[in-house]
Amino acid sequence: MTTPNTPDSAADLSLSDDERAHLDGHTIEELSDYLDRGRVPADPSIDTSAASQIALASLARLRDAMTSLLQHEADQAPVLDESWVTAIMDGIALDARSGRDIPVSHPSPNARLAITEGAVRGLVRAAGDTIDNLIVGRCRLVGDVSIPGEPITITVDASIYRGESIPDLANTLRDALYKVLTAHTELTIAGIDVTISTIYLTRPDPKTDQDTP
Amino acid sequence: MTDTADLAAELDTVVRSVPGVITLYPATPLAVTLTRAAAQTVAAVVESVVNSVGSVVESVAGTVGGDVDPRTPSTPSRPLVSVTTGKAGLSASARIRVGDTDSATNVCRLAHDAIAAHLDARAAPIDTISVTVASIH
C-alpha cells in the first residue's frame, strides 16, 4: 500500500475549512439541495462550475444507489448509518475539486494541454459506481501527476454489501478503473489499491423476496 | 467588440464544434468572474456617483447583467474561451467537458488543433494554446 503524500492527505483533515473553494463557492449540502429542486431555478454559478457538475453527478448516482438500497432494506434492516452517507458526501466534495493538472502530450511547443485531477477522480468514481453492490467513497491519485511518466498509484475506498465477495468486487473495480484510466489519460499506473472501508446493511434474503407476494 | 473579443467568440464556436466536446466552462470560475464583476460594479458606482446619481442603478445592472446570462448558462453572453495578447502572440485558453465515449486526451488534442487551425487561418501569431479537460461525463 502506498502512503498518500499528496495535498489530498491534508485536505482530509479540514474539509469544512475550504469546501466552498473546492466547489467554486458552494457546499456539498447546497449542491444536494439543488439536486433536490431538480436544478430549478438554474444557478449559473453551479451550472458553469466543473467541480460542482462532477459533484452533482456523483450525488445523483449516490441518490440512486440509496434509493435502491432503501427499497431493498425497508423490511429487513432499516437502520441506516447517517455517518456513512455523510462520509460518502464528504468524499464527493473532496474528489470533485479541480486539484492538480495532469499533462496531455502534444507535439506543438505552444500546446499546454491537461486533464484536471478532479476530472480523473470523477471518472474513477463514475466507473466504480457502475459496479453493482459497490459505492466509491474516496479516490486519490498518489504521486506527482504533473510529471509525465511518473508512476501513479490510484487508491480507492469503497463500500459494498455485506455478503459480497470482497476479492471479486475489488478485482472487478480494478479492471474497470484500469480500463477508463488508460482510455482517457496518459497516466503511468503503478497500481490500483482498493480498500473496502465499510460494509453496510445486509443484502435481502432471496428466499424472503420469493416468499413475498 | 474588440478584435480579441471577436476572436474569442469565434474560438468558442470552434471548440464547441469539436467532436467529443460537450460544453465549455469559463476559463476562470464564475465565482471569480462575479467577484471581478462586483469590483467593476463598485468602480462603476463610484464613477457614476461622481457624474450623476441617477445613472448609478443603470450602471450596476448593466455591469452585472452583462457578464453572464443566467437563463442559458451553456451560452453565456461572453465567450468562455479566453484570448489574450502577449509579446510573442496570442494566447488562447479553454476549459472543456468531454463525453466518456471518446478518449479525453484525444478530444483535448482535437480542441487544441481546431484552435490552432483557426488562428493559422487568420495568420495570427500564437504564443500558447491551453486546453484543459475539466470534467469527463
Side-chain angles (χ1 to χ4, degrees):
Chain A
M1 177 75 75
T2 307
T3 302
N5 60 354
T6 70
D8 290 355
S9 303
D12 287 349
L13 303 175
S14 58
L15 173 62
S16 60
D17 292 346
D18 51 358
E19 183 179 355
R20 286 182 186 276
H22 293 164
L23 299 173
D24 292 339
H26 297 279
T27 65
I28 195 73
E29 289 78 15
E30 288 170 356
L31 296 181
S32 183
D33 290 343
Y34 189 54
L35 201 59
D36 285 340
R37 299 196 305 271
R39 309 184 194 216
V40 175
D43 184 335
S45 68
I46 294 176
D47 293 340
T48 62
S49 159
S52 294
Q53 292 301 303
I54 291 170
L56 281 171
S58 296
L59 284 173
R61 289 193 304 270
L62 175 63
R63 190 157 299 184
D64 288 345
M66 295 298 297
T67 300
S68 176
L69 270 177
L70 291 174
Q71 287 173 346
H72 282 272
E73 301 293 334
D75 298 327
Q76 302 243 343
V79 180
L80 187 64
D81 183 357
E82 290 187 1
S83 65
W84 173 78
V85 179
T86 302
I88 297 282
M89 290 179 67
D90 286 349
I92 289 172
L94 284 169
D95 288 354
R97 66 211 162 105
S98 294
R100 299 168 289 180
D101 279 352
I102 302 169
V104 173
S105 63
H106 194 285
S108 169
N110 299 322
R112 306 285 185 273
L113 310 186
I115 300 176
T116 67
E117 191 175 13
V120 173
R121 286 190 296 237
L123 182 71
V124 166
R125 183 179 284 277
D129 288 347
T130 62
I131 298 171
D132 288 342
N133 304 322
L134 182 147
I135 295 177
V136 173
R138 280 297 314 275
C139 167
R140 299 175 183 84
L141 307 184
V142 181
D144 192 346
V145 296
S146 65
I147 301 175
E150 184 79 359
I152 303 298
T153 298
I154 316 297
T155 69
V156 178
D157 296 337
S159 301
I160 67 168
Y161 267 124
R162 181 179 297 135
E164 294 290 339
S165 166
I166 292 175
D168 287 351
L169 276 183
N171 285 332
T172 302
L173 178 59
R174 278 194 198 92
D175 291 345
L177 300 190
Y178 187 80
K179 184 178 178 183
V180 296
L181 287 168
T182 53
H184 289 282
T185 77
E186 296 176 344
L187 290 171
T188 301
I189 302 170
I192 300 176
D193 293 343
V194 175
T195 302
I196 305 300
S197 57
T198 309
I199 301 175
Y200 60 89
L201 302 177
T202 56
R203 195 176 189 187
D205 183 350
K207 292 181 180 177
T208 305
D209 280 353
Q210 290 169 2
D211 293 340
T212 303
Chain B
M1 286 198 291
T2 65
D3 288 345
T4 303
D6 287 340
L7 187 55
E10 292 169 15
L11 292 177
D12 196 291
T13 302
V14 165
V15 174
R16 287 179 192 277
S17 68
V18 171
V21 173
I22 305 299
T23 191
L24 291 176
Y25 295 113
T28 54
L30 184 59
V32 174
T33 305
L34 290 178
T35 301
R36 289 175 180 165
Q40 292 168 357
T41 300
V42 170
V45 167
V46 171
E47 183 178 353
S48 297
V49 166
V50 171
N51 293 332
S52 168
V53 173
S55 65
V56 170
V57 173
E58 184 179 351
S59 174
V60 171
T63 304
V64 173
D67 200 58
V68 173
D69 182 352
R71 295 165 301 178
T72 54
S74 62
T75 55
S77 54
R78 287 185 182 178
L80 298 181
V81 173
S82 146
V83 177
T84 57
T85 306
K87 291 181 179 177
L90 294 173
S91 290
S93 180
R95 289 171 62 85
I96 60 176
R97 170 185 167 187
V98 306
D100 58 7
T101 54
D102 300 300
S103 166
T105 49
N106 286 344
V107 175
C108 188
R109 291 190 196 96
L110 287 174
H112 166 277
D113 295 346
I115 292 172
H118 192 81
L119 294 178
D120 283 345
R122 290 184 52 142
I126 299 172
D127 185 358
T128 59
I129 297 175
S130 304
V131 180
T132 301
V133 177
S135 74
I136 307 167
H137 62 97

